[in-house]
Structures are given as structure tokens and as C-alpha cells.
Amino acid sequence: METQGTVLIVARASPQWSTTEEVLSEEYGYRVLVVRSAEEATSALSDAHIDLVLAEHGPSGDGLTFLVNLRVSHPDVVRVLALEAKTELSQQAISPAAIYQFVRKPLDAKQIGLVVERGLESRELSRRHRMLSREFKIRGDSLGVQQRNGASLHAESQRFEKLVYVSEKLSELCDLARKAARTELPILIQGETGTGKELLARAIHYNSPRKTSPLMVQNCGGMSDELLHSELFGHKRGAFTGAISDRLGLFRAGDGGTVFLDEISEVSPSFQVSLLRFLQEGEVKPLGSDKTQTCNVRIIAASNRPLRTLVAAGKYRQDLYFRLKGFELEVPPLRDRPVDIPALAEFLLPNTPTRWGAKF
Ligand SMILES: Nc1ncnc2c1ncn2[C@@H]1O[C@H](COP(=O)(O)OP(=O)(O)O)[C@@H](O)[C@H]1O
Ligand SMILES: [Mg+2]
């Protein structure tokens, strides 16, 4: 189901917020992400496409400062502040955050639903207004280009979180990725450097049932087996020189969530065995420990070298390759989907009129 938009709630746990979360997602059809701190909110904002932030302000949270910063870092995100019943803030204090509305506790979930709806509507209107004004301006000085290409410079772009595209190729890929996200299977993403593999991995996590659990990222390139083992599986104090304390390891730290293993082609043959065992058994054994522990993480791996070719050349274990590719997603390079270039340019340089229309 396409959702109406994504709302990020930044607040401590409480029954009022749980009800609000439920009403927003079930009655209004929004996707709702919930985080407890400004740090978690910042990482959610960098990975997922967020339309509106609802931040709590009061004895327990400094929502106002967060929204002031958000106005600068993500000006397009609609900002709503939730205040304690008795908190008084002056107009001067509030105005730097340029909030759309504030709501007061005790929270009224239905009222918040309406505020969210109106807030998103008003943002959509101003977005269209900006687009139209820009198009009029461009028409004035580049009529030729416009006439050859019809009314707009390029088709309206689509989004999968932070991925922007218009091409059929990426649209099929993102549809498959959305399906894959809902499963528990490992996902292997392949494609040249810079094609957006990591962006895709993050988008998948935020569209999976694991979205409220952590996403851990590990680059496997250029690391010794020992170091990689301790990063992923953890170690006991004294397991090797320099191991001055116990380390949990990403697999257990990310329990319940997703672990993104980048440059998976780069791991040594013996580490491939460890990974395979982990994928088969779901068990980790920290270095220097004789106890195994189970943990439940979803693996997304990426490689800029096609594993199939490495397997054929005898440089990669076929059984590991088969395990990793529960879903195999291939991100095509930009040169094979030039229609995405104007959409990307528009996204990266939103205030610069693009003149690509004639070429593509
Ligand atoms: N379709 C896209 N839409 C928006 N940004 C993109 C897209 N593809 C790549 N990028 C940007 O290009 C850079 C490289 O993307 P990344 O996901 O790190 O690629 P990879 O992991 O394949 O090397 C990032 O800054 C990313 O935001
Ligand atoms: Mg990368």
C-alpha cells in the first residue's frame, strides 16, 4: 500500500504517544517512525524520506531546539511541536523553528491527525506553487526547449526514501526492493560504485518490519579477519593483544534489526566460512569465548564486483553466494538510464533550472 506520507515522532515512550502512533498509522494511513532521541531522529532523517516531524518539548525533551536545527537541515519537513500542559513558550522562543502548529498534552490523537493532514496539504500546495512559478520563469527564456518537450522538463520523479528516479529500470528495481523488504530473506545488492547501493539498503531497512530496530553498517573491505571477526561477532576481553574489554559485535548489537555488509566480495576465504555458518545457524561466537549465542538480524550485503563472476573464477564460495542472494538486486549504472539524470539534477540542485529536457 502506498502510504500518505511519513511522520517521525521524537518523544519518550508513553501511552499517549502510543495511541497517537496507532491512530496516525491505522486511521490516517501514515507511515509512522518513532524515535526517542535527537540522535536517533537525525539518523532516521538521513535514511528515510520523512514528511513531518512531531517533536516533544518539556521537562524530558528539548523538541524546540531540535526543530530549530531541523528547519536549517531539512527545510521541507513540516514541523509540529508538542508541549506539556503547563509549558509556556514565548513567541520569540518559538519563531526560529517556524513550526506549522503546536499541540498540547494531554494529546488528542484525532486532532493531531488533522494537524498532520493540513500540514502536509499546505506543504504540497507551496511545493506546487514553487514548481509552477519556476516553470513560468523558464518558459520566458527558453521557449524553444519547452515547445519540443511539452509542458514540463521531465516526468515527475519517484522516490524510494532517498533514492530519486524516473526510469523504468529503477522503478522495477524499487518495486522488487519493496517486496524484498517485507520478507526476512537476505538481500544481495550489486552494481558499480556510486549507483546508490547503500541508499537502497537503507531504504529497504526503513520499509521492512524491522524499521524501528537498529540498522548497523559494516564495510568489509580492507580489514583483517581478526578485526572483522571482532567487529561483527564481538570478542572477549583478552582475546587478542589490545582487546582490553568485551565487545558485543554488530550482529548482537543489531539484534532484531538489519546489518548492512558493504563490499562483501572482499572477505577472505576463511571469513566466508564464518559468514556462511552465521547465515545458516544464526549463531555468533565472540573471539575468545567458547559460548555461542543466537541473534536475529537481517543481512543486506552489497558488492561492486559481481559475485557470480567471482564464483565462476573460483574466488568466492558458491554456497555463501547462494545464501546471500535471497533476493538479488542489480542497480544499473546511470549511463544505462539517462532519463534519471534530469531528475537527479533537479533533486541535487533544486533551485537551478535544468536544460536537459532537449537532450533526453
Ligand atoms: N538515485 C539516486 N537518488 C539520489 N541520490 C543518489 C542516487 N544514486 C546515488 N545517489 C547519491 O550518490 C552517492 C553514492 O551513493 P551510494 O549509495 O553510496 O552508492 P554505492 O553504495 O553504490 O557506492 C550518495 O551520495 C547518494 O546519495
Ligand atoms: Mg557504497
Side-chain angles (χ1 to χ4, degrees), residues 314-343:
K315 293 188 178 132
Y316 210 80
R317 293 186 70 103
Q318 185 173 47
D319 45 9
L320 177 57
Y321 169 53
F322 284 163
R323 273 280 164 180
L324 289 171
K325 67 178 184 90
F327 280 87
E328 198 168 22
L329 305 178
E330 180 76 37
V331 191
L334 201 49
R335 64 175 174 280
D336 290 347
R337 45 181 170 96
V339 287
D340 284 339
I341 296 174

PDB file of all heavy atoms in Angstrom, residues 314-343:
ATOM      1  N   GLY A 314      36.310 -19.252  -9.193  1.00  0.00           N
ATOM      2  CA  GLY A 314      36.796 -19.997  -8.028  1.00  0.00           C
ATOM      3  C   GLY A 314      37.306 -19.114  -6.908  1.00  0.00           C
ATOM      4  O   GLY A 314      38.028 -19.563  -6.032  1.00  0.00           O
ATOM      5  N   LYS A 315      36.916 -17.812  -6.923  1.00  0.00           N
ATOM      6  CA  LYS A 315      37.429 -16.897  -5.901  1.00  0.00           C
ATOM      7  C   LYS A 315      36.419 -16.626  -4.790  1.00  0.00           C
ATOM      8  O   LYS A 315      36.706 -15.856  -3.872  1.00  0.00           O
ATOM      9  CB  LYS A 315      37.826 -15.570  -6.553  1.00  0.00           C
ATOM     10  CG  LYS A 315      39.017 -15.724  -7.476  1.00  0.00           C
ATOM     11  CD  LYS A 315      39.509 -14.377  -7.947  1.00  0.00           C
ATOM     12  CE  LYS A 315      40.730 -14.530  -8.825  1.00  0.00           C
ATOM     13  NZ  LYS A 315      40.621 -13.750 -10.048  1.00  0.00           N
ATOM     14  N   TYR A 316      35.249 -17.190  -4.916  1.00  0.00           N
ATOM     15  CA  TYR A 316      34.231 -16.945  -3.889  1.00  0.00           C
ATOM     16  C   TYR A 316      33.409 -18.204  -3.703  1.00  0.00           C
ATOM     17  O   TYR A 316      33.134 -18.908  -4.675  1.00  0.00           O
ATOM     18  CB  TYR A 316      33.320 -15.786  -4.320  1.00  0.00           C
ATOM     19  CG  TYR A 316      32.750 -14.996  -3.173  1.00  0.00           C
ATOM     20  CD1 TYR A 316      33.504 -14.028  -2.521  1.00  0.00           C
ATOM     21  CD2 TYR A 316      31.452 -15.227  -2.733  1.00  0.00           C
ATOM     22  CE1 TYR A 316      32.983 -13.314  -1.447  1.00  0.00           C
ATOM     23  CE2 TYR A 316      30.922 -14.511  -1.661  1.00  0.00           C
ATOM     24  CZ  TYR A 316      31.692 -13.555  -1.028  1.00  0.00           C
ATOM     25  OH  TYR A 316      31.178 -12.847   0.023  1.00  0.00           O
ATOM     26  N   ARG A 317      33.019 -18.473  -2.478  1.00  0.00           N
ATOM     27  CA  ARG A 317      32.247 -19.695  -2.203  1.00  0.00           C
ATOM     28  C   ARG A 317      30.855 -19.609  -2.796  1.00  0.00           C
ATOM     29  O   ARG A 317      30.111 -18.672  -2.518  1.00  0.00           O
ATOM     30  CB  ARG A 317      32.103 -19.893  -0.699  1.00  0.00           C
ATOM     31  CG  ARG A 317      33.368 -20.204   0.040  1.00  0.00           C
ATOM     32  CD  ARG A 317      32.999 -20.523   1.482  1.00  0.00           C
ATOM     33  NE  ARG A 317      32.296 -21.798   1.525  1.00  0.00           N
ATOM     34  CZ  ARG A 317      32.865 -22.922   1.931  1.00  0.00           C
ATOM     35  NH1 ARG A 317      34.136 -22.918   2.305  1.00  0.00           N
ATOM     36  NH2 ARG A 317      32.184 -24.039   1.954  1.00  0.00           N
ATOM     37  N   GLN A 318      30.516 -20.633  -3.556  1.00  0.00           N
ATOM     38  CA  GLN A 318      29.203 -20.637  -4.179  1.00  0.00           C
ATOM     39  C   GLN A 318      28.081 -20.757  -3.139  1.00  0.00           C
ATOM     40  O   GLN A 318      27.052 -20.083  -3.243  1.00  0.00           O
ATOM     41  CB  GLN A 318      29.095 -21.796  -5.165  1.00  0.00           C
ATOM     42  CG  GLN A 318      27.796 -21.765  -5.932  1.00  0.00           C
ATOM     43  CD  GLN A 318      27.755 -22.811  -7.032  1.00  0.00           C
ATOM     44  OE1 GLN A 318      28.100 -23.978  -6.830  1.00  0.00           O
ATOM     45  NE2 GLN A 318      27.349 -22.398  -8.200  1.00  0.00           N
ATOM     46  N   ASP A 319      28.327 -21.591  -2.094  1.00  0.00           N
ATOM     47  CA  ASP A 319      27.264 -21.762  -1.089  1.00  0.00           C
ATOM     48  C   ASP A 319      26.971 -20.454  -0.364  1.00  0.00           C
ATOM     49  O   ASP A 319      25.826 -20.142  -0.059  1.00  0.00           O
ATOM     50  CB  ASP A 319      27.600 -22.910  -0.110  1.00  0.00           C
ATOM     51  CG  ASP A 319      29.046 -22.864   0.375  1.00  0.00           C
ATOM     52  OD1 ASP A 319      29.743 -21.866   0.096  1.00  0.00           O
ATOM     53  OD2 ASP A 319      29.483 -23.826   1.036  1.00  0.00           O
ATOM     54  N   LEU A 320      28.016 -19.627  -0.126  1.00  0.00           N
ATOM     55  CA  LEU A 320      27.789 -18.332   0.527  1.00  0.00           C
ATOM     56  C   LEU A 320      27.016 -17.402  -0.412  1.00  0.00           C
ATOM     57  O   LEU A 320      26.066 -16.733  -0.001  1.00  0.00           O
ATOM     58  CB  LEU A 320      29.129 -17.696   0.921  1.00  0.00           C
ATOM     59  CG  LEU A 320      29.020 -16.303   1.548  1.00  0.00           C
ATOM     60  CD1 LEU A 320      28.139 -16.304   2.790  1.00  0.00           C
ATOM     61  CD2 LEU A 320      30.409 -15.752   1.915  1.00  0.00           C
ATOM     62  N   TYR A 321      27.433 -17.387  -1.670  1.00  0.00           N
ATOM     63  CA  TYR A 321      26.740 -16.567  -2.671  1.00  0.00           C
ATOM     64  C   TYR A 321      25.252 -16.922  -2.713  1.00  0.00           C
ATOM     65  O   TYR A 321      24.384 -16.046  -2.662  1.00  0.00           O
ATOM     66  CB  TYR A 321      27.404 -16.767  -4.038  1.00  0.00           C
ATOM     67  CG  TYR A 321      26.653 -16.192  -5.217  1.00  0.00           C
ATOM     68  CD1 TYR A 321      26.248 -14.860  -5.237  1.00  0.00           C
ATOM     69  CD2 TYR A 321      26.371 -16.987  -6.329  1.00  0.00           C
ATOM     70  CE1 TYR A 321      25.559 -14.344  -6.327  1.00  0.00           C
ATOM     71  CE2 TYR A 321      25.697 -16.478  -7.428  1.00  0.00           C
ATOM     72  CZ  TYR A 321      25.288 -15.157  -7.415  1.00  0.00           C
ATOM     73  OH  TYR A 321      24.609 -14.648  -8.489  1.00  0.00           O
ATOM     74  N   PHE A 322      24.939 -18.215  -2.744  1.00  0.00           N
ATOM     75  CA  PHE A 322      23.537 -18.640  -2.778  1.00  0.00           C
ATOM     76  C   PHE A 322      22.786 -18.215  -1.525  1.00  0.00           C
ATOM     77  O   PHE A 322      21.633 -17.822  -1.584  1.00  0.00           O
ATOM     78  CB  PHE A 322      23.441 -20.174  -2.964  1.00  0.00           C
ATOM     79  CG  PHE A 322      23.734 -20.610  -4.373  1.00  0.00           C
ATOM     80  CD1 PHE A 322      24.048 -21.934  -4.664  1.00  0.00           C
ATOM     81  CD2 PHE A 322      23.690 -19.705  -5.428  1.00  0.00           C
ATOM     82  CE1 PHE A 322      24.318 -22.348  -5.966  1.00  0.00           C
ATOM     83  CE2 PHE A 322      23.961 -20.094  -6.738  1.00  0.00           C
ATOM     84  CZ  PHE A 322      24.274 -21.423  -6.998  1.00  0.00           C
ATOM     85  N   ARG A 323      23.452 -18.292  -0.378  1.00  0.00           N
ATOM     86  CA  ARG A 323      22.826 -17.868   0.877  1.00  0.00           C
ATOM     87  C   ARG A 323      22.512 -16.384   0.871  1.00  0.00           C
ATOM     88  O   ARG A 323      21.480 -15.937   1.354  1.00  0.00           O
ATOM     89  CB  ARG A 323      23.771 -18.144   2.053  1.00  0.00           C
ATOM     90  CG  ARG A 323      23.667 -19.500   2.616  1.00  0.00           C
ATOM     91  CD  ARG A 323      22.473 -19.601   3.534  1.00  0.00           C
ATOM     92  NE  ARG A 323      22.167 -21.010   3.772  1.00  0.00           N
ATOM     93  CZ  ARG A 323      21.180 -21.443   4.535  1.00  0.00           C
ATOM     94  NH1 ARG A 323      20.386 -20.577   5.133  1.00  0.00           N
ATOM     95  NH2 ARG A 323      20.968 -22.721   4.689  1.00  0.00           N
ATOM     96  N   LEU A 324      23.475 -15.598   0.367  1.00  0.00           N
ATOM     97  CA  LEU A 324      23.327 -14.137   0.411  1.00  0.00           C
ATOM     98  C   LEU A 324      22.215 -13.645  -0.503  1.00  0.00           C
ATOM     99  O   LEU A 324      21.556 -12.660  -0.217  1.00  0.00           O
ATOM    100  CB  LEU A 324      24.643 -13.446   0.006  1.00  0.00           C
ATOM    101  CG  LEU A 324      25.793 -13.545   1.005  1.00  0.00           C
ATOM    102  CD1 LEU A 324      27.080 -13.008   0.376  1.00  0.00           C
ATOM    103  CD2 LEU A 324      25.474 -12.761   2.277  1.00  0.00           C
ATOM    104  N   LYS A 325      22.030 -14.339  -1.640  1.00  0.00           N
ATOM    105  CA  LYS A 325      21.085 -13.793  -2.609  1.00  0.00           C
ATOM    106  C   LYS A 325      19.668 -14.359  -2.452  1.00  0.00           C
ATOM    107  O   LYS A 325      19.099 -14.917  -3.373  1.00  0.00           O
ATOM    108  CB  LYS A 325      21.589 -13.982  -4.042  1.00  0.00           C
ATOM    109  CG  LYS A 325      21.661 -15.404  -4.556  1.00  0.00           C
ATOM    110  CD  LYS A 325      22.130 -15.342  -6.011  1.00  0.00           C
ATOM    111  CE  LYS A 325      22.159 -16.694  -6.664  1.00  0.00           C
ATOM    112  NZ  LYS A 325      20.924 -17.071  -7.316  1.00  0.00           N
ATOM    113  N   GLY A 326      19.102 -14.178  -1.230  1.00  0.00           N
ATOM    114  CA  GLY A 326      17.686 -14.473  -1.060  1.00  0.00           C
ATOM    115  C   GLY A 326      16.932 -13.665  -2.109  1.00  0.00           C
ATOM    116  O   GLY A 326      16.070 -14.152  -2.824  1.00  0.00           O
ATOM    117  N   PHE A 327      17.296 -12.404  -2.196  1.00  0.00           N
ATOM    118  CA  PHE A 327      16.902 -11.544  -3.314  1.00  0.00           C
ATOM    119  C   PHE A 327      18.176 -10.984  -3.911  1.00  0.00           C
ATOM    120  O   PHE A 327      19.075 -10.585  -3.178  1.00  0.00           O
ATOM    121  CB  PHE A 327      16.027 -10.382  -2.853  1.00  0.00           C
ATOM    122  CG  PHE A 327      14.594 -10.753  -2.643  1.00  0.00           C
ATOM    123  CD1 PHE A 327      14.183 -11.262  -1.420  1.00  0.00           C
ATOM    124  CD2 PHE A 327      13.659 -10.589  -3.660  1.00  0.00           C
ATOM    125  CE1 PHE A 327      12.858 -11.607  -1.223  1.00  0.00           C
ATOM    126  CE2 PHE A 327      12.331 -10.937  -3.464  1.00  0.00           C
ATOM    127  CZ  PHE A 327      11.929 -11.447  -2.243  1.00  0.00           C
ATOM    128  N   GLU A 328      18.253 -10.912  -5.214  1.00  0.00           N
ATOM    129  CA  GLU A 328      19.437 -10.349  -5.858  1.00  0.00           C
ATOM    130  C   GLU A 328      18.985  -9.082  -6.590  1.00  0.00           C
ATOM    131  O   GLU A 328      18.156  -9.145  -7.493  1.00  0.00           O
ATOM    132  CB  GLU A 328      20.013 -11.368  -6.835  1.00  0.00           C
ATOM    133  CG  GLU A 328      21.442 -11.085  -7.240  1.00  0.00           C
ATOM    134  CD  GLU A 328      22.065 -12.283  -7.979  1.00  0.00           C
ATOM    135  OE1 GLU A 328      21.315 -13.108  -8.516  1.00  0.00           O
ATOM    136  OE2 GLU A 328      23.305 -12.354  -8.014  1.00  0.00           O
ATOM    137  N   LEU A 329      19.508  -7.945  -6.156  1.00  0.00           N
ATOM    138  CA  LEU A 329      19.109  -6.682  -6.772  1.00  0.00           C
ATOM    139  C   LEU A 329      20.301  -6.087  -7.505  1.00  0.00           C
ATOM    140  O   LEU A 329      21.374  -5.923  -6.919  1.00  0.00           O
ATOM    141  CB  LEU A 329      18.616  -5.694  -5.706  1.00  0.00           C
ATOM    142  CG  LEU A 329      17.480  -6.175  -4.787  1.00  0.00           C
ATOM    143  CD1 LEU A 329      17.145  -5.093  -3.764  1.00  0.00           C
ATOM    144  CD2 LEU A 329      16.242  -6.512  -5.606  1.00  0.00           C
ATOM    145  N   GLU A 330      20.101  -5.761  -8.762  1.00  0.00           N
ATOM    146  CA  GLU A 330      21.191  -5.233  -9.576  1.00  0.00           C
ATOM    147  C   GLU A 330      20.884  -3.762  -9.870  1.00  0.00           C
ATOM    148  O   GLU A 330      19.875  -3.467 -10.517  1.00  0.00           O
ATOM    149  CB  GLU A 330      21.236  -6.051 -10.882  1.00  0.00           C
ATOM    150  CG  GLU A 330      22.294  -5.651 -11.869  1.00  0.00           C
ATOM    151  CD  GLU A 330      23.688  -6.141 -11.464  1.00  0.00           C
ATOM    152  OE1 GLU A 330      23.791  -7.262 -10.930  1.00  0.00           O
ATOM    153  OE2 GLU A 330      24.650  -5.390 -11.696  1.00  0.00           O
ATOM    154  N   VAL A 331      21.727  -2.853  -9.386  1.00  0.00           N
ATOM    155  CA  VAL A 331      21.470  -1.440  -9.663  1.00  0.00           C
ATOM    156  C   VAL A 331      22.215  -1.052 -10.939  1.00  0.00           C
ATOM    157  O   VAL A 331      23.449  -1.083 -10.979  1.00  0.00           O
ATOM    158  CB  VAL A 331      21.946  -0.524  -8.509  1.00  0.00           C
ATOM    159  CG1 VAL A 331      21.413   0.881  -8.710  1.00  0.00           C
ATOM    160  CG2 VAL A 331      21.502  -1.078  -7.164  1.00  0.00           C
ATOM    161  N   PRO A 332      21.492  -0.680 -11.991  1.00  0.00           N
ATOM    162  CA  PRO A 332      22.174  -0.344 -13.243  1.00  0.00           C
ATOM    163  C   PRO A 332      22.888   1.005 -13.135  1.00  0.00           C
ATOM    164  O   PRO A 332      22.441   1.880 -12.394  1.00  0.00           O
ATOM    165  CB  PRO A 332      21.026  -0.267 -14.265  1.00  0.00           C
ATOM    166  CG  PRO A 332      19.785  -0.063 -13.468  1.00  0.00           C
ATOM    167  CD  PRO A 332      20.029  -0.575 -12.086  1.00  0.00           C
ATOM    168  N   PRO A 333      23.999   1.158 -13.836  1.00  0.00           N
ATOM    169  CA  PRO A 333      24.700   2.446 -13.797  1.00  0.00           C
ATOM    170  C   PRO A 333      23.860   3.548 -14.459  1.00  0.00           C
ATOM    171  O   PRO A 333      23.013   3.249 -15.310  1.00  0.00           O
ATOM    172  CB  PRO A 333      25.974   2.184 -14.591  1.00  0.00           C
ATOM    173  CG  PRO A 333      25.667   1.013 -15.459  1.00  0.00           C
ATOM    174  CD  PRO A 333      24.663   0.192 -14.717  1.00  0.00           C
ATOM    175  N   LEU A 334      24.138   4.775 -14.080  1.00  0.00           N
ATOM    176  CA  LEU A 334      23.377   5.915 -14.588  1.00  0.00           C
ATOM    177  C   LEU A 334      23.444   6.007 -16.120  1.00  0.00           C
ATOM    178  O   LEU A 334      22.483   6.417 -16.775  1.00  0.00           O
ATOM    179  CB  LEU A 334      23.939   7.187 -13.944  1.00  0.00           C
ATOM    180  CG  LEU A 334      23.070   8.427 -13.895  1.00  0.00           C
ATOM    181  CD1 LEU A 334      21.680   8.127 -13.367  1.00  0.00           C
ATOM    182  CD2 LEU A 334      23.748   9.491 -13.047  1.00  0.00           C
ATOM    183  N   ARG A 335      24.574   5.597 -16.697  1.00  0.00           N
ATOM    184  CA  ARG A 335      24.686   5.721 -18.150  1.00  0.00           C
ATOM    185  C   ARG A 335      23.684   4.836 -18.881  1.00  0.00           C
ATOM    186  O   ARG A 335      23.379   5.071 -20.040  1.00  0.00           O
ATOM    187  CB  ARG A 335      26.115   5.403 -18.619  1.00  0.00           C
ATOM    188  CG  ARG A 335      26.543   3.984 -18.362  1.00  0.00           C
ATOM    189  CD  ARG A 335      27.924   3.651 -18.941  1.00  0.00           C
ATOM    190  NE  ARG A 335      28.309   2.323 -18.515  1.00  0.00           N
ATOM    191  CZ  ARG A 335      28.818   2.023 -17.324  1.00  0.00           C
ATOM    192  NH1 ARG A 335      29.054   2.972 -16.449  1.00  0.00           N
ATOM    193  NH2 ARG A 335      29.080   0.773 -17.002  1.00  0.00           N
ATOM    194  N   ASP A 336      23.168   3.793 -18.187  1.00  0.00           N
ATOM    195  CA  ASP A 336      22.157   2.941 -18.810  1.00  0.00           C
ATOM    196  C   ASP A 336      20.736   3.419 -18.551  1.00  0.00           C
ATOM    197  O   ASP A 336      19.767   2.777 -18.948  1.00  0.00           O
ATOM    198  CB  ASP A 336      22.275   1.497 -18.304  1.00  0.00           C
ATOM    199  CG  ASP A 336      23.535   0.820 -18.817  1.00  0.00           C
ATOM    200  OD1 ASP A 336      24.168   1.379 -19.744  1.00  0.00           O
ATOM    201  OD2 ASP A 336      23.904  -0.244 -18.273  1.00  0.00           O
ATOM    202  N   ARG A 337      20.612   4.531 -17.812  1.00  0.00           N
ATOM    203  CA  ARG A 337      19.281   5.067 -17.536  1.00  0.00           C
ATOM    204  C   ARG A 337      19.354   6.597 -17.529  1.00  0.00           C
ATOM    205  O   ARG A 337      19.085   7.244 -16.507  1.00  0.00           O
ATOM    206  CB  ARG A 337      18.726   4.526 -16.217  1.00  0.00           C
ATOM    207  CG  ARG A 337      19.736   4.535 -15.083  1.00  0.00           C
ATOM    208  CD  ARG A 337      19.188   3.970 -13.781  1.00  0.00           C
ATOM    209  NE  ARG A 337      20.233   3.775 -12.798  1.00  0.00           N
ATOM    210  CZ  ARG A 337      20.543   4.639 -11.828  1.00  0.00           C
ATOM    211  NH1 ARG A 337      19.878   5.750 -11.693  1.00  0.00           N
ATOM    212  NH2 ARG A 337      21.523   4.369 -10.986  1.00  0.00           N
ATOM    213  N   PRO A 338      19.744   7.166 -18.693  1.00  0.00           N
ATOM    214  CA  PRO A 338      19.969   8.612 -18.743  1.00  0.00           C
ATOM    215  C   PRO A 338      18.743   9.446 -18.370  1.00  0.00           C
ATOM    216  O   PRO A 338      18.897  10.581 -17.937  1.00  0.00           O
ATOM    217  CB  PRO A 338      20.374   8.867 -20.203  1.00  0.00           C
ATOM    218  CG  PRO A 338      20.021   7.634 -20.948  1.00  0.00           C
ATOM    219  CD  PRO A 338      20.017   6.511 -19.982  1.00  0.00           C
ATOM    220  N   VAL A 339      17.539   8.889 -18.488  1.00  0.00           N
ATOM    221  CA  VAL A 339      16.366   9.686 -18.089  1.00  0.00           C
ATOM    222  C   VAL A 339      16.394  10.054 -16.607  1.00  0.00           C
ATOM    223  O   VAL A 339      15.681  10.964 -16.186  1.00  0.00           O
ATOM    224  CB  VAL A 339      15.021   8.968 -18.372  1.00  0.00           C
ATOM    225  CG1 VAL A 339      14.718   8.948 -19.855  1.00  0.00           C
ATOM    226  CG2 VAL A 339      14.992   7.576 -17.768  1.00  0.00           C
ATOM    227  N   ASP A 340      17.204   9.341 -15.822  1.00  0.00           N
ATOM    228  CA  ASP A 340      17.287   9.683 -14.395  1.00  0.00           C
ATOM    229  C   ASP A 340      18.152  10.919 -14.141  1.00  0.00           C
ATOM    230  O   ASP A 340      18.096  11.502 -13.054  1.00  0.00           O
ATOM    231  CB  ASP A 340      17.852   8.504 -13.588  1.00  0.00           C
ATOM    232  CG  ASP A 340      16.818   7.404 -13.375  1.00  0.00           C
ATOM    233  OD1 ASP A 340      15.611   7.716 -13.477  1.00  0.00           O
ATOM    234  OD2 ASP A 340      17.218   6.256 -13.130  1.00  0.00           O
ATOM    235  N   ILE A 341      18.952  11.308 -15.134  1.00  0.00           N
ATOM    236  CA  ILE A 341      19.892  12.420 -14.906  1.00  0.00           C
ATOM    237  C   ILE A 341      19.176  13.739 -14.587  1.00  0.00           C
ATOM    238  O   ILE A 341      19.489  14.376 -13.590  1.00  0.00           O
ATOM    239  CB  ILE A 341      20.880  12.559 -16.079  1.00  0.00           C
ATOM    240  CG1 ILE A 341      21.736  11.283 -16.147  1.00  0.00           C
ATOM    241  CG2 ILE A 341      21.776  13.788 -15.904  1.00  0.00           C
ATOM    242  CD1 ILE A 341      22.664  11.209 -17.348  1.00  0.00           C
ATOM    243  N   PRO A 342      18.179  14.139 -15.410  1.00  0.00           N
ATOM    244  CA  PRO A 342      17.498  15.393 -15.051  1.00  0.00           C
ATOM    245  C   PRO A 342      16.815  15.327 -13.691  1.00  0.00           C
ATOM    246  O   PRO A 342      16.833  16.316 -12.945  1.00  0.00           O
ATOM    247  CB  PRO A 342      16.460  15.583 -16.162  1.00  0.00           C
ATOM    248  CG  PRO A 342      16.569  14.440 -17.073  1.00  0.00           C
ATOM    249  CD  PRO A 342      17.727  13.593 -16.691  1.00  0.00           C
ATOM    250  N   ALA A 343      16.254  14.168 -13.346  1.00  0.00           N
ATOM    251  CA  ALA A 343      15.576  14.045 -12.054  1.00  0.00           C
ATOM    252  C   ALA A 343      16.576  14.217 -10.916  1.00  0.00           C
ATOM    253  O   ALA A 343      16.313  14.897  -9.928  1.00  0.00           O
ATOM    254  CB  ALA A 343      14.874  12.696 -11.942  1.00  0.00           C
TER     255      ALA A 343
END
